[in-house]
Amino acid sequence: MSGTKTFDEKDLAEIEKLTKKYPEKQAAVLPVLWYAQDKFGHVDPSVQKLVAETMDLPEAHVYGVVTFYTQFYEKPMGKHVLDVCTCLSCQVCGGYDILNYLEDKLGIMAGETTPDGEFSIQSVECLGACGYAPMLQVTNDKYVNYLTYEKIDKLIDDLKSGKQPGFESNKMPQHENGTE
Amino acid sequence: MPNDWKSYKPLLLPAIKDLHEISVYEKNNGYQALRKILKDRAMWSPQNVINEVKTANIRGRGGAGFNAGLKWSFMPEPDGKPRYLACNGDESEPGTFKDRKIFEFNPHLFIEGAIIAAYAMQIDVIYVYIRGEYRPFVKMLQRAIDQAYEKGYLGKKVLGSDFSVEMYTHMGAGAYICGEESSLMESLEGKRGYPRVKPPFPAQRGLWGRPTTINNIETLANVPLVMDKGADWYLKIGPDTHPGPVLYGISGHLKRPGVYEYPAGMNIMTLINEVAGGIREGKKLKALIPGGSSTPPLRADMLEGVSMDANSLRDAGSMMGTAGMVVLDEDTDMVDLIWRISYFYDHESCGQCTPCRDGTGWLEKTLRKIKNGDGELRDLDLLLAICHRMEGRTICALADAAAWPVRYSIDRFRDEFERKCKKTVYAVA
Amino acid sequence: MPEIFIDHKRYEFEQPGKVLQFMLDNGMDLPFFCYHPSLSIPANCRQCIVKAGMPVFDRDRGTFKLDEKGERIIRFFPKLMTACSLDLADGMVVYTHHTDELVKQAQADNLEFILINHPLDCPICDQAGECPLQILTYKYGPEGSRFEHKKVHKPKAIQLGPRVILDAERCINCTRCVRFTDEISKTHQLTIISRGDKNYPMTANDQVFDDPYSLNTVDICPVGALTSADFRFKARVWEMNQTPGIDISNGKGCSTWVWTRDNLVMRITPRFNEAVNDHWMPDSGRLSYRTFNENRISKPWLRPDNKEQVRTTWNNAELTLREELDKVESSQILVIGSPHASVEDNYTFKKYFESLGVTDFYYLPHVVPGAGDDLLLSDDQAPNTLGVRALGYSEIAGDKLPKIVTSAKPKLVFILDDDILDRSDLTSSHLEDAFTVYWGTNHNGTSLAANLVIPITTAVEHAASYINVDGRIQRTVPAKETLYTNRRLNLEMSMGRLDHYGTKFDNWVTDANRIDCIPAWEFITRLNPGSDTFAWESSRQILAEIGGKLNIFRGVTYEQMDEENGIQLNLEQDSEVNTV
């Protein structure tokens, strides 16, 4: 991303639509930040400033909000951000092993980005997939469940070749024997 | 607990293919409860709907277990200005992963429940707050909402009546605290998610200062069942004090972890051994966290005859919480586990109130010290003292949630903590 | 009347309100950090925790339920409550640390929590001595700490803006500063960032905290997290003495505290005045303290034969002035008063020249359009514009002044403390043919152009009154000594620790800080020895004289001003009398 960041006509129309959902424009801060992060890949200070100006809100307010919510990237991240859950069920089911394997594989520590800018790893809190532990989330989107080292290898290869993981539907065990 | 659970047919998440499609949902009795209400307004005045739901005693599935209908009745009389329903799909309590099943498999049941709730409380705008990590599920729900708009269940003049209601999804962005209802409102208003001082309660001053009710997703999904088949029918499911179906999120060292739907009050050992296939690799059960990370852990020997309903768990020394059960086998290092839970609460404390902001960090640091083998026996008493000083002294319950697992696991697994501590304390000159 | 029982004592209350404020209003003590009477109530510090309950009401009988001893049965709230957010309610029972062990313990516990991540660097902290955290820890805190880990580290010595410096480690997250910029100054420049024990207040990324009221956040910061870039490391609180004053750098006239050490003003902070400035004041007013210390005119100055100005004696100044007066007719004298000088100075100045037969009196208003705001800054930059007008001086615009001078061709010009050459179209060449006498406090372009300069006292060296833009008359109290005043003799002057116990031989005391100047009225008294008309001994006496002559000032006394933090005048009467 070079030069100053801007929202184009289409973006502004989209932001207008998001804002209309609420009686007060400030309420749209989170949706607009999400929108900006999708567009720019992060919400660094320059994006925060753009969001504040576009929404006519104090810049400090936007900054405070961004730093409160962990999913907003305050600085540019790797192309793929791998959020490995290490909390509770994932911890007891080997979440840290998965994290360490990933760290070794990519040669970086949690919280870091590979020099080629391809991958970032983070150790994160419960992602709500406790029954499918250990698991990770790829760039705030799809979950990859029941992780094994082999599954990690495949995931990294896929991501490198530009293939995003698909949505894994975890069926209810009750349904499996039932009349589906 | 009757032994008929094996023949139980799920009500919230029945095994029907493509139920998330509105056409399939409609074919399976979907939106009939709403139609019934709007057809006979004399019979189903808002007050009567509230009464019916109150009678059914749907206990809030978000953790507090409060009668949903009673909560609805706290809303003041309408004054012509906006009122809001906020649906809590933040689902961030570690061990909890049930609401996402509703978004994926039966979103219309929840939507119908929310519309009925809005009708009963004469609310015109519904926000569904979903944690940002659930992005794929937000898309699923949004698709279902769009379908419901198309079919006239949402929007102006629902099904041709004079009742209008809008429904919007709102995505969080990574903050456990936003599952706390007043923090959720702050977040919805576009602020940092700081819990609000109560009173005033949301029904008095909620979103944008207007009366607001906050309900859990699963709670609302129970509403169409009650309105369709009646409170009397609903009360027959599960124990008297905790009726209705419950989504049990069972995780940990199990052969078949996952979300299961059974009546409330299932025997815990049945759930572990029969429903979820027992402990992996033939290991023995060591402990259970019954309802999400904040509920006090129970030792295996404390589980005899205990069932998953609020009263039984209270008697056993824990809580129902979100029914997100974490099952731990004999190899589990409790110190490690409790340290990681403390780390979670330290990470998620919003930092507003003193005892929580500094207390969660203190707990985490002390537990890390013990985990790393640098702890001393007196640290255990210190931990208990810190817990005692955090509980009940803050605006919201996060401090309590952080303190309970520590306090109770030291109480119930003290040997294990002591084994990790250094035995000799050298006097420093 | 509704009643509340606090520590077994019964109080009545009329207005709805919060328990903490009610207790403070009634002189009771309760520790708190985040609460501020002029800001919203977040109840986040949890320090003002109390045990509270309500009597159980028997609906059937319509009375309170009583126990076997005949006392009301109290149902206590399940948790301890923060008094700051607790509404007063009829019959409420409150127990504080004085009567309840649990409350006492809870307050100590809370302080222990606050202190675990606080650096405890009081010896090098500017806030020490006036730090609520320090004070409350001594009063209510635990004996020691059981925290044996590394504290959380955060940025230190961050220049948030030109006037405010942040030490994030000292911050206890009370959010007063953020609330101030959100609710009072409304610049919204601050926010809390991050979460948990890692959070602290900050500006947006490249934004400068240049809020014109930024220093108020330093005042309300209950710890040393926000300190004044200007005052930092200059003086300890206990070395200074604190004198009430008013801000004379602006027309609003905020009530102030003037902090002096060894006859230098070290800083100015706001003093609570509900009618004018609440708890706040603009940064510009605080930083104006320098004018009281620097560039002061000390001793009279004379320009013999239009050469360089040289210092001279009071006697010589007096003689020179008399000589010049003898040379001219009253019609050849031009007198310009000042909105920057006090009511008393302007009054005596005018009275003296009226006695010499002068009839026209002017003043140059000091208004900068657009400089003001809706809060505490006015367009008017002078503290006494309404005062000088009420005394009968005529307003003259800066561009009209040269015409007055060229047409009247005065031989003798008297200017009272106002840099009129700077603010008008008048230049020193207009005054070339006249002998100019400047009575002023500080050197400036006008004083340098004058033939004779009489040094007079500033607002922090004399007692005098000023009328603000809203018509409120307020007065000052001498805070620093001149060469001719003495703290020990002047009962009005406050005595700090240093003043009490320091001696002439203490190395931190220097006479150089005492300016050789006198009040304008005192010089007029000197010019008229033996005259009953000009025989004033104090400004108090002068104000009484004015009150006897001008309706606006009737009954106005220093005592009443002191008691009521100033008096609102009825300036409708303005036009009634214009000559003294």
Side-chain angles (χ1 to χ4, degrees):
Chain A
M1 212 60 58
S2 65
T4 42
K5 298 189 176 66
T6 50
F7 286 131
D8 60 26
E9 293 279 310
K10 192 178 131 275
D11 298 331
L12 292 175
E14 198 58 42
I15 288 168
E16 176 73 25
K17 239 169 79 189
L18 291 172
T19 313
K20 277 211 179 111
K21 285 159 68 172
Y22 309 94
E24 281 172 21
K25 66 180 178 195
Q26 182 179 266
V29 166
L30 263 64
V32 174
L33 281 169
W34 271 119
Y35 186 85
Q37 182 153 301
D38 286 348
K39 182 181 168 85
F40 301 110
H42 56 80
V43 283
D44 77 353
S46 65
V47 180
Q48 290 169 30
K49 194 175 179 139
L50 175 66
V51 168
E53 280 167 5
T54 309
M55 297 185 73
D56 192 22
L57 288 172
E59 218 181 313
H61 178 83
V62 176
Y63 183 40
V65 167
V66 166
T67 55
F68 191 86
Y69 298 95
T70 52
Q71 284 189 288
F72 291 132
Y73 302 146
E74 285 174 69
K75 56 179 199 301
M77 300 288 273
K79 201 166 136 202
H80 311 288
V81 183
L82 305 175
D83 290 341
V84 184
C85 177
T86 54
C87 187
L88 200 58
S89 301
C90 282
Q91 179 202 12
V92 299
C93 293
Y96 278 103
D97 295 337
I98 295 297
L99 178 68
N100 294 341
Y101 182 75
L102 250 182
E103 286 176 338
D104 290 345
K105 185 175 173 71
L106 297 175
I108 51 169
M109 298 298 282
E112 294 175 352
T113 302
T114 51
D116 60 4
E118 281 290 305
F119 295 98
S120 299
I121 313 177
Q122 300 189 114
S123 164
V124 299
E125 300 306 325
C126 181
L127 291 171
C130 315
Y132 324 117
M135 55 77 66
L136 62 75
Q137 181 174 27
V138 181
T139 327
N140 283 335
D141 200 353
K142 300 289 189 304
Y143 284 6
V144 187
N145 305 302
Y146 300 120
L147 287 174
T148 56
Y149 296 157
E150 295 73 43
K151 205 162 173 186
I152 292 277
D153 291 341
K154 184 167 180 302
L155 173 69
I156 299 293
D157 290 343
D158 281 353
L159 288 172
K160 276 186 182 158
S161 62
K163 193 173 154 219
Q164 286 287 334
F167 175 75
E168 288 181 25
S169 178
N170 298 105
K171 296 269 181 302
M172 306 247 306
Q174 266 164 307
H175 291 189
E176 278 158 21
N177 343 337
T179 53
E180 202 170 304
Chain B
M1 173 63 219
N3 204 22
D4 57 0
W5 61 270
K6 283 178 183 158
S7 59
Y8 176 80
K9 289 261 179 292
L11 299 160
L12 298 170
L13 299 171
I16 297 166
K17 194 170 156 45
D18 292 332
L19 189 57
H20 63 280
E21 294 293 347
I22 196 162
S23 54
V24 179
Y25 180 70
E26 282 175 324
K27 262 181 224 145
N28 287 279
N29 207 29
Y31 288 111
Q32 287 307 316
L34 178 65
R35 284 184 189 277
K36 175 172 115 181
I37 291 166
L38 292 180
K39 205 177 280 169
D40 192 351
R41 298 284 289 274
M43 167 81 183
W44 294 113
S45 67
Q47 190 52 51
N48 287 353
V49 175
I50 292 182
N51 288 343
E52 188 73 10
V53 173
K54 193 154 68 176
T55 309
N57 190 17
I58 307 175
R59 299 189 66 165
R61 303 294 199 250
F66 194 78
N67 182 327
L70 190 58
K71 195 176 196 177
W72 293 3
S73 69
F74 297 154
M75 287 288 273
E77 282 296 304
D79 59 0
K81 292 191 198 134
R83 307 142 68 83
Y84 301 99
L85 172 66
C87 309
N88 188 346
D90 194 57
E91 186 154 84
S92 298
E93 174 96 352
T96 313
F97 56 113
K98 59 182 179 71
D99 292 342
R100 52 180 278 192
K101 295 291 159 193
I102 296 174
F103 297 141
E104 186 179 349
F105 295 121
N106 201 2
H108 289 289
L109 183 69
F110 153 68
I111 295 172
E112 187 180 356
I115 297 169
I116 293 170
Y119 167 81
M121 292 180 276
Q122 303 177 57
I123 279 167
D124 36 23
V125 183
I126 305 169
Y127 290 101
V128 190
Y129 188 102
I130 305 174
R131 63 182 303 188
E133 292 87 344
Y134 278 2
R135 194 168 193 169
F137 302 102
V138 178
K139 284 184 189 150
M140 289 173 188
L141 179 68
Q142 188 59 55
R143 188 169 163 272
I145 291 175
D146 293 345
Q147 289 177 342
Y149 266 105
E150 268 170 41
K151 294 272 187 144
Y153 297 117
L154 282 167
K156 295 256 175 309
K157 299 193 184 304
V158 172
L159 297 173
S161 70
D162 62 355
F163 166 60
S164 301
V165 63
E166 304 292 332
M167 188 181 219
Y168 304 110
T169 54
H170 182 98
M171 202 161 90
Y176 164 72
I177 190 62
C178 292
E180 194 277 344
E181 59 178 18
S182 61
S183 167
L184 182 147
M185 294 192 292
E186 289 285 293
S187 184
L188 244 169
E189 290 180 10
K191 302 179 203 155
R192 294 164 59 80
Y194 285 156
R196 294 179 185 170
V197 180
K198 282 145 270 182
F201 293 96
Q204 302 160 290
R205 278 179 64 85
L207 284 166
W208 299 285
R210 302 290 309 152
T212 302
T213 291
I214 297 107
N215 281 134
N216 177 262
I217 303 294
E218 187 189 337
T219 310
L220 289 168
N222 275 279
V223 170
L225 304 180
V226 169
M227 294 315 297
D228 186 32
K229 300 201 174 76
D232 294 338
W233 168 85
Y234 186 85
L235 282 165
K236 289 190 192 109
I237 310 169
D240 298 345
T241 52
H242 204 132
V246 164
L247 296 180
Y248 297 96
I250 312 183
S251 65
H253 300 126
L254 287 161
K255 289 202 182 111
R256 293 203 309 156
V259 174
Y260 293 85
E261 181 190 329
Y262 285 107
M266 284 283 284
N267 179 287
I268 285 177
M269 294 318 289
T270 307
L271 280 171
I272 295 173
N273 290 326
E274 299 189 47
V275 172
I279 309 286
R280 275 180 206 175
E281 297 162 20
K283 296 258 163 70
K284 282 203 206 97
L285 175 67
K286 175 175 192 170
L288 171 77
I289 298 175
S293 58
S294 63
T295 54
L298 294 165
R299 267 193 329 264
D301 60 81
M302 301 166 81
L303 295 174
E304 190 56 49
V306 179
S307 59
M308 285 297 282
D309 71 79
N311 294 5
S312 175
L313 278 165
R314 190 193 55 215
D315 294 343
S318 190
M319 288 179 298
M320 174 88 170
T322 57
M325 301 161 63
V326 184
V327 178
L328 304 163
D329 73 12
E330 56 188 318
D331 295 341
T332 311
D333 183 334
M334 288 308 284
V335 179
D336 235 26
L337 182 89
I338 297 303
W339 160 74
R340 188 60 184 78
I341 291 176
S342 281
Y343 180 90
F344 170 78
Y345 287 107
D346 180 32
H347 185 264
E348 298 298 335
S349 167
C350 77
Q352 199 184 192
C353 306
T354 305
C356 177
R357 178 183 62 238
D358 290 310
T360 51
W362 198 357
L363 289 179
E364 191 272 329
K365 284 175 176 140
T366 310
L367 281 161
R368 186 166 20 165
K369 183 179 160 197
I370 298 172
K371 167 179 102 91
N372 291 342
D374 298 324
E376 288 151 42
L377 288 174
R378 61 187 165 95
D379 286 332
L380 299 181
D381 295 327
L382 175 62
L383 282 170
L384 293 176
I386 299 170
C387 291
H388 180 65
R389 282 151 171 72
M390 286 167 68
E391 283 169 38
R393 306 263 173 93
T394 48
I395 292 173
C396 82
L398 192 142
D400 307 67
W404 289 329
V406 178
R407 177 144 75 93
Y408 288 101
S409 42
I410 293 179
D411 189 29
R412 293 168 186 172
F413 302 91
R414 189 156 183 129
D415 291 357
E416 211 171 316
F417 281 84
E418 286 185 357
R419 274 201 299 278
K420 286 236 171 175
C421 289
K422 286 192 279 192
K423 289 287 163 296
T424 317
V425 180
Y426 296 99
V428 180
Chain C
M1 197 177 288
E3 55 185 5
I4 181 169
F5 299 86
I6 302 174
D7 292 334
H8 307 296
K9 237 180 118 181
R10 181 177 176 276
Y11 299 85
E12 289 184 343
F13 62 93
E14 287 171 53
Q15 305 291 329
K18 305 290 183 188
V19 171
L20 174 60
Q21 188 59 52
F22 180 79
M23 288 180 65
L24 296 174
D25 292 344
N26 285 280
M28 289 173 264
D29 72 310
L30 201 60
F32 64 93
F33 297 107
C34 69
Y35 177 76
H36 191 286
S38 296
L39 299 173
S40 60
I41 302 172
N44 63 28
C45 76
R46 316 304 292 173
Q47 191 61 48
C48 64
I49 218 152
V50 293
K51 183 175 169 185
M54 292 297 293
V56 182
F57 196 72
D58 190 335
R59 266 167 214 246
D60 301 335
R61 291 195 197 162
T63 55
F64 292 115
K65 279 190 184 161
L66 303 179
D67 63 12
E68 60 271 21
K69 280 189 217 154
E71 282 175 25
R72 284 181 191 173
I73 296 172
I74 305 297
R75 183 176 296 139
F76 286 95
F77 293 108
K79 294 175 179 181
L80 296 179
M81 305 294 282
T82 45
C84 64
S85 62
L86 185 61
D87 283 309
L88 292 169
D90 193 11
M92 182 179 264
V93 172
V94 174
Y95 293 117
T96 72
H97 52 284
H98 290 298
T99 46
D100 190 277
E101 275 307 308
L102 178 66
V103 171
K104 194 172 173 179
Q105 184 61 46
Q107 290 176 0
D109 294 343
N110 203 62
L111 276 160
E112 188 178 16
F113 279 128
I114 289 181
L115 292 169
I116 65 173
N117 282 314
H118 189 78
L120 304 175
D121 57 349
C122 310
I124 58 153
C125 178
D126 249 32
Q127 185 86 342
E130 56 177 358
C131 176
L133 180 58
Q134 197 183 33
I135 295 162
L136 297 180
T137 300
Y138 275 108
K139 274 182 90 170
Y140 307 94
E143 285 282 312
S145 175
R146 293 168 294 177
F147 184 77
E148 298 173 345
H149 309 279
K150 216 168 132 183
K151 288 173 190 270
V152 176
H153 286 298
K154 298 179 192 176
K156 293 181 89 76
I158 303 291
Q159 185 101 31
L160 282 187
R163 299 173 290 278
V164 177
I165 290 177
L166 166 73
D167 183 323
E169 289 187 348
R170 292 179 187 152
C171 175
I172 61 165
N173 282 291
C174 71
T175 68
R176 275 181 174 185
C177 54
V178 178
R179 282 178 281 144
F180 177 82
T181 62
D182 281 347
E183 295 163 20
I184 306 294
S185 72
K186 298 200 168 72
T187 59
H188 308 281
Q189 286 184 338
L190 293 180
T191 180
I192 299 287
I193 62 160
S194 196
R195 287 201 306 228
D197 53 13
K198 284 150 210 85
N199 67 2
Y200 57 90
M202 201 62 210
T203 56
N205 295 281
D206 54 357
Q207 236 182 35
V208 178
F209 185 38
D210 56 359
D211 188 318
Y213 295 87
S214 66
L215 281 168
N216 290 292
T217 62
V218 173
D219 297 334
I220 58 177
C221 181
V223 291
L226 298 175
T227 49
S228 158
D230 178 81
F231 175 68
R232 220 162 120 85
F233 305 136
K234 279 201 186 138
R236 285 311 209 170
V237 182
W238 55 87
E239 297 170 343
M240 296 186 284
N241 54 6
Q242 188 185 358
T243 312
I246 58 169
D247 178 14
I248 59 151
S249 71
N250 188 265
K252 197 77 188 176
C254 295
S255 292
T256 62
W257 287 113
V258 179
W259 298 76
T260 54
R261 183 183 68 181
D262 186 25
N263 291 315
L264 286 177
V265 181
M266 304 306 292
R267 67 169 179 182
I268 291 174
T269 57
R271 177 167 54 94
F272 176 66
N273 185 345
E274 209 175 359
V276 179
N277 56 307
D278 205 43
H279 296 271
W280 324 115
M281 78 179 284
D283 291 0
S284 53
R286 300 164 187 262
L287 298 179
S288 70
Y289 78 90
R290 289 202 186 89
T291 57
F292 301 122
N293 301 336
E294 295 164 13
N295 198 29
R296 288 293 304 276
I297 305 169
S298 194
K299 259 178 139 13
W301 291 73
L302 182 64
R303 186 194 303 283
D305 309 323
N306 279 333
K307 287 184 194 136
E308 286 273 291
Q309 275 184 354
V310 291
R311 275 179 203 268
T312 184
T313 61
W314 284 97
N315 272 341
N316 199 24
E318 223 178 290
L319 284 171
T320 311
L321 192 55
R322 281 182 216 281
E323 275 171 31
E324 294 299 327
L325 280 168
D326 286 344
K327 286 186 204 162
V328 298
E329 300 289 318
S330 63
S331 60
Q332 291 172 308
I333 303 176
L334 176 67
V335 180
I336 301 175
S338 171
H340 287 281
S342 67
V343 168
E344 289 81 348
D345 280 356
N346 275 299
Y347 169 80
T348 49
F349 201 60
K350 184 162 175 248
K351 182 178 178 186
Y352 174 58
F353 291 108
E354 272 174 346
S355 77
L356 300 177
V358 178
T359 52
D360 295 329
F361 296 89
Y362 301 102
Y363 80 95
L364 180 66
H366 192 173
V367 175
V368 180
D373 59 20
D374 298 337
L375 194 50
L376 291 174
L377 286 166
S378 59
D379 286 354
D380 192 345
Q381 304 295 300
N384 195 28
T385 305
L386 291 181
V388 68
R389 190 186 295 164
L391 289 167
Y393 286 83
S394 321
E395 178 177 320
I396 180 97
D399 55 346
K400 303 268 162 51
L401 205 52
K403 203 174 145 212
I404 297 268
V405 174
T406 41
S407 61
K409 292 195 177 48
K411 286 273 179 247
L412 196 46
V413 178
F414 288 93
I415 302 164
L416 184 60
D417 198 27
D418 197 356
D419 192 1
I420 60 168
L421 290 193
D422 182 50
R423 285 196 292 112
S424 71
D425 293 350
L426 201 68
T427 62
S428 52
S429 57
H430 288 115
L431 298 171
E432 254 171 10
D433 297 334
F435 187 88
T436 311
V437 186
Y438 184 72
W439 307 39
T441 57
N442 294 68
H443 293 292
N444 54 34
T446 311
S447 78
L448 290 173
N451 300 79
L452 178 64
V453 182
I454 307 297
I456 61 171
T457 47
T458 61
V460 300
E461 285 150 333
H462 60 213
S465 34
Y466 299 80
I467 304 177
N468 80 355
V469 285
D470 301 317
R472 190 175 184 85
I473 187 164
Q474 311 180 97
R475 72 112 168 187
T476 62
V477 172
K480 69 192 280 257
E481 293 168 323
T482 67
L483 207 54
Y484 308 102
T485 56
N486 190 311
R487 238 173 245 288
R488 287 161 199 271
L489 301 178
N490 185 334
L491 295 179
E492 226 171 28
M493 294 187 82
S494 65
M495 295 266 275
R497 189 169 157 272
L498 252 166
D499 305 311
H500 265 293
Y501 306 110
T503 71
K504 274 214 171 294
F505 307 105
D506 290 328
N507 57 9
W508 59 76
V509 172
T510 161
D511 266 346
N513 297 335
R514 302 169 70 171
I515 309 294
D516 189 353
C517 62
I518 56 174
W521 58 263
E522 202 175 316
F523 190 63
I524 289 162
T525 309
R526 272 184 83 145
L527 287 173
N528 300 282
S531 154
D532 284 347
T533 328
F534 302 103
W536 302 295
E537 279 173 1
S538 71
S539 50
R540 200 176 287 259
Q541 196 184 345
I542 298 167
L543 188 68
E545 181 179 320
I546 302 172
K549 291 192 179 166
L550 290 174
N551 280 339
I552 300 168
F553 297 93
R554 184 154 298 151
V556 173
T557 62
Y558 282 4
E559 285 75 13
Q560 198 190 346
M561 279 190 254
D562 291 349
E563 214 150 276
E564 296 165 21
N565 257 337
I567 302 163
Q568 190 62 42
L569 297 179
N570 182 3
L571 291 173
E572 298 298 300
Q573 303 172 6
D574 194 342
S575 52
E576 192 185 320
V577 188
N578 255 350
T579 43
V580 179

